[in-house]
Amino acid sequence: QVQLVETGGGLVQAGGSLRLSCAASGRTFSNVAMGWFRQTPGKEREFVAAISYSGRTTWYADSVKGRFTISRDRTKNTVYLQMNSLKPEDTAVYYCAADPSGAYDSGEYGYWGQGTQVTVSS
């Protein structure tokens, strides 16, 4: 059974940092791109960041550029999202995704995690 499991969410004050991890099991994802998305109640899921299969290319939403960093460890089948200078508007459920069938920011991914809550207090 293929699974993506996110960890590292929690409550943090504005200006603080969190590091999310997404561990994959059931198959290797070292040869596909992976991404992070987030969603708040009543809003559509939005793209946050993505990373190529090699890890050499990354993409970011304008809202997180310069504050968030996506990385991956292909040997551990894991992708990370380092979030610095967090703002209250970053509060959301963060989802890991793998194997995009369309554009990296389209949300058309074959596999999704269950999500982890990130709450940033002001």
Side-chain angles (χ1 to χ4, degrees):
Q1 182 182 0
V2 177
Q3 278 191 313
L4 298 177
V5 179
E6 302 99 333
T7 56
L11 174 64
V12 64
Q13 288 188 331
S17 298
L18 282 175
R19 188 194 195 205
L20 305 184
S21 298
C22 172
S25 61
R27 59 155 280 185
T28 180
F29 288 102
S30 62
N31 59 340
V32 300
M34 298 185 73
W36 287 95
F37 290 75
R38 65 187 182 188
Q39 189 171 24
T40 55
K43 292 188 177 181
E44 290 189 358
R45 185 172 54 198
E46 66 171 347
F47 168 75
V48 175
I51 188 166
S52 65
Y53 78 95
S54 67
R56 286 195 286 267
T57 305
T58 56
W59 303 270
Y60 296 95
D62 288 342
S63 59
V64 306
K65 205 171 291 183
R67 299 188 298 121
F68 291 11
T69 303
I70 187 171
S71 61
R72 68 188 302 168
D73 186 332
R74 298 172 70 196
T75 64
K76 295 182 178 179
N77 223 15
T78 299
V79 65
Y80 305 96
L81 186 67
Q82 178 67 43
M83 306 186 294
N84 298 329
S85 302
L86 282 161
K87 305 175 181 179
E89 51 263 44
D90 294 319
T91 296
V93 177
Y94 283 71
Y95 297 91
C96 171
D99 197 9
S101 57
Y104 60 86
D105 60 350
S106 68
E108 297 171 358
Y109 283 68
Y111 303 91
W112 291 88
Q114 83 291 347
T116 185
Q117 176 70 46
V118 171
T119 303
V120 184
S121 63
S122 58

